[in-house]
Amino acid sequence: MKNQLIIVLMVLSCCTTFAQKREKYEFKRNLPVYADSLIADFDYPMAWGNSDIKDFDEWRKAARQKVLDCMLMPPPPAAGYDVKVLFEEQREGYKARKIEIRLSRYYTVPAYVLIPDGKGPFPAVNVLHDHGAHLFIGKEKMIRPLACEDSTVIQDANEWLAGYEGRFFGDYLAQHGYVVFSADAPMWGERGQQEGPRRDRYDMIAGNMMMYGINLSAWMTYDDIAGTEYLATMPEVDASRIGCTGWSMGAYRAWMLAALSDRIKVGAAVCWMVTTDEQMSFKYKRTENGGFANCFPGLRRWMDYPHVASMACPKPMLFINGSQDKLFPVAGVEKAFRIMHDTWESQGAGDKIETELWDMPHSCGIASQDCVLRFFKKHL
């Protein structure tokens, strides 16, 4: 009884300690108290229009290199993709394959590929899955799981469809004649933790990776680039017609991929675009303003999000955001849209960029998917 009392007192003592606050502090609401001063000092010297480089192609080359520098060490390339087909099934109008592909000398990556019936080559889309603080599945968020998957994976994917209004985006595109590729990002699906997926461990692991000189978000982008290069080698794919799309983190991945890969000819991003001055300020009551999933060290010293996305110019690009989306303040979305429009118009390509602010929350419903498909049909 005495030992139990001691344990209770220790627990209460710990709880009291954690609840204590110091009179002076330097951080609040997950931000430094000087956040506004940091933002005021951002001048983005490598942004198009701010840079001393006035030739757009030369600027893109220099800006791309600056982004790559901030991405730290890239994964060492593999000698070959060494693709293994693990399972294949016929669906209505297309084949579905589960493959394992070597995207780096260090690791292989599980992925799904959908191939339309008939004679190719077909246009192709790299469909990039979301974050959602849900790491148990990755590629299965975008493509209906194959019959080889465990029942828990299939059930989880079906439940996750709520954000997509019950439609697998990748299968929808395959039904309309596109080869579709979707791979697990690092930390999602079959690239997760042995101990099981936990969102609170993502940042810890990302921090540990930094100790190796590796930026986990950058390796996600490097894998997206490598996966797109693999798509271009498939005999069923017309390598001159490859696009990319995604929702939420998948949207971030889509415009980042379009900016850094010449393979991508068209991009569509649903619910991920904003400016740093709005996203990282004290103006809004959010508990999270970003994270390691979209962070390249030091990049804000040079460019903001829309400046990086502008490296995709003059490619056709579609951006859809929601006015009821609590993750991205409308003021920041509208600023970002204006920056990108100015860039495309400066290159005589104002008709190639479409930005839309819909009356919707953070979602990628059927209307959004239909809009992306129309955009691909028009430009891809």
Side-chain angles (χ1 to χ4, degrees):
M1 186 68 180
K2 182 179 179 181
N3 289 339
Q4 290 177 337
L5 180 60
I6 292 173
I7 292 173
V8 170
L9 291 173
M10 289 175 63
V11 170
L12 289 174
S13 175
C14 289
C15 292
T16 302
T17 300
F18 287 130
Q20 288 177 334
K21 297 179 181 179
R22 298 294 296 269
E23 184 177 348
K24 294 184 67 66
Y25 55 87
E26 194 166 330
F27 298 87
K28 66 178 182 178
R29 287 174 48 193
N30 301 331
L31 297 176
V33 295
Y34 44 84
D36 291 340
S37 297
L38 283 172
I39 290 169
D41 285 342
F42 287 150
D43 57 1
Y44 304 123
M46 274 302 297
W48 174 247
N50 294 345
S51 170
D52 293 336
I53 304 173
K54 302 307 177 186
D55 179 85
F56 192 81
D57 290 338
E58 290 183 13
W59 169 79
R60 185 197 296 111
K61 182 178 180 180
R64 184 178 284 182
Q65 186 58 54
K66 184 60 69 176
V67 173
L68 293 174
D69 290 344
C70 292
M71 291 169 69
L72 305 182
M73 183 181 77
Y81 293 115
D82 190 24
V83 178
K84 297 178 182 178
V85 178
L86 305 179
F87 192 82
E88 181 174 299
E89 65 189 30
Q90 182 66 41
R91 295 182 177 178
E92 190 172 346
Y94 58 99
K95 290 189 294 291
R97 289 178 186 161
K98 181 176 184 179
I99 65 171
E100 188 175 80
I101 178 173
R102 183 163 291 282
L103 295 185
S104 165
R105 181 162 52 85
Y106 288 163
Y107 50 80
T108 58
V109 174
Y112 286 162
V113 180
L114 306 179
I115 303 171
D117 295 341
K119 185 178 180 181
F122 304 99
V125 182
N126 192 343
V127 180
L128 306 152
H129 70 72
D130 60 74
H131 187 306
H134 187 76
L135 283 65
F136 182 64
I137 54 174
K139 60 190 178 298
E140 301 89 356
K141 296 179 178 183
M142 309 307 293
I143 292 175
R144 177 161 58 89
L146 277 69
C148 61
E149 303 294 358
D150 185 271
S151 60
T152 57
V153 171
I154 295 172
Q155 180 180 345
D156 195 58
N158 288 330
E159 292 173 354
W160 194 252
L161 274 188
Y164 297 87
E165 290 188 351
R167 176 197 278 170
F168 283 103
F169 198 178
D171 293 75
Y172 176 62
L173 292 171
Q175 289 165 355
H176 286 84
Y178 295 87
V179 172
V180 176
F181 174 89
S182 190
D184 289 335
M187 285 294 292
W188 273 266
E190 294 174 276
R191 302 183 70 186
Q193 291 179 260
Q194 181 184 35
E195 298 83 1
R198 283 181 53 180
R199 169 62 184 89
D200 61 346
R201 293 298 175 92
Y202 182 93
D203 294 340
M204 182 180 293
I205 289 174
N208 286 341
M209 294 293 275
M210 291 283 281
M211 300 298 184
Y212 298 112
I214 295 167
N215 177 253
L216 197 57
S217 176
W219 279 35
M220 176 174 67
T221 296
Y222 277 122
D223 286 348
D224 292 341
I225 295 170
T228 304
E229 290 295 326
Y230 164 69
L231 258 182
T233 69
M234 292 181 60
E236 300 90 347
V237 170
D238 180 349
S240 68
R241 294 191 292 159
I242 299 178
C244 60
T245 190
W247 167 53
S248 194
M249 183 184 76
Y252 164 86
R253 295 168 67 188
W255 57 255
M256 185 64 72
L257 177 58
L260 296 178
S261 171
D262 292 331
R263 287 288 186 190
I264 296 296
K265 305 304 180 185
V266 183
V270 181
C271 289
W272 211 118
M273 180 47 67
V274 73
T275 54
T276 298
D277 62 341
E278 299 292 333
Q279 186 72 0
M280 298 296 292
S281 75
F282 285 109
K283 298 177 185 177
Y284 308 96
K285 295 180 179 179
R286 292 190 309 280
T287 58
E288 184 174 273
N289 292 279
F292 281 111
N294 50 50
C295 173
F296 294 172
L299 186 54
R300 287 295 82 77
R301 291 177 54 205
W302 305 103
M303 288 174 282
D304 202 358
Y305 300 116
H307 303 138
V308 176
S310 290
M311 291 191 295
C313 177
K315 299 174 186 179
M317 293 291 293
L318 169 67
F319 294 87
I320 301 173
N321 268 69
S323 62
Q324 307 304 316
D325 189 337
K326 296 181 180 179
L327 298 182
F328 300 101
V330 170
V333 174
E334 291 177 336
K335 286 181 186 178
F337 284 177
R338 286 196 297 271
I339 290 169
M340 293 189 295
H341 274 285
D342 287 346
T343 303
W344 264 258
E345 287 168 8
S346 76
Q347 301 308 302
D351 61 332
K352 296 292 182 62
I353 182 169
E354 296 183 19
T355 58
E356 302 186 13
L357 189 61
W358 293 10
D359 182 14
M360 69 177 191
H362 192 70
S363 65
C364 185
I366 288 173
S368 298
Q369 296 173 46
D370 289 347
C371 186
V372 170
L373 177 62
R374 288 194 299 270
F375 193 76
F376 283 157
K377 284 185 175 181
K378 180 180 179 181
H379 295 288
L380 196 60

